[in-house]
Amino acid sequence: MSNRDVIIDLTKNIPDSELSPVVAVLKSLYKYINNNNYVEDENPDTIDIEMITAAKAENDGTTISLDEMLKKDGLTYADLQN
């Protein structure tokens, strides 16, 4: 029996509605073995769109350094160790 046949045999009795974790593992293995960026394109759902909209409203695109952020919050590098 080939490895492909073993995979098919192991999964043939699992309901399609419960195969998502198996598919995720196989995609991860595929990516690892082929060292590529295989990512299935998916359209953002309602929650994604809400989070994107909120992030855009809160972020004007500017950045600050870690030093500036620590100073702004009254912290030091030592505070990050705790």
Side-chain angles (χ1 to χ4, degrees):
M1 182 180 284
S2 73
N3 289 331
R4 184 179 311 279
D5 291 333
V6 171
I7 292 170
I8 292 169
D9 191 47
L10 289 171
T11 59
K12 69 181 174 187
N13 292 322
I14 299 174
D16 193 57
S17 61
E18 296 182 19
L19 282 174
S20 291
V22 175
V23 171
V25 168
L26 289 173
K27 284 182 178 180
S28 293
L29 287 171
Y30 179 87
K31 181 179 178 183
Y32 175 76
I33 292 167
N34 292 292
N35 195 24
N36 67 19
N37 293 321
Y38 175 78
V39 176
E40 191 173 312
D41 290 334
E42 294 185 24
N43 292 325
D45 62 14
T46 305
I47 294 172
D48 292 331
I49 293 170
E50 289 172 4
M51 291 190 314
I52 292 168
T53 303
K56 285 180 179 177
E58 295 173 10
N59 184 356
D60 64 3
T62 59
T63 60
I64 63 170
S65 69
L66 178 58
D67 289 332
E68 290 174 291
M69 184 184 74
L70 291 173
K71 184 177 179 181
K72 176 183 166 201
D73 293 331
L75 300 171
T76 65
Y77 283 102
D79 295 320
L80 299 177
Q81 302 303 316
N82 298 331

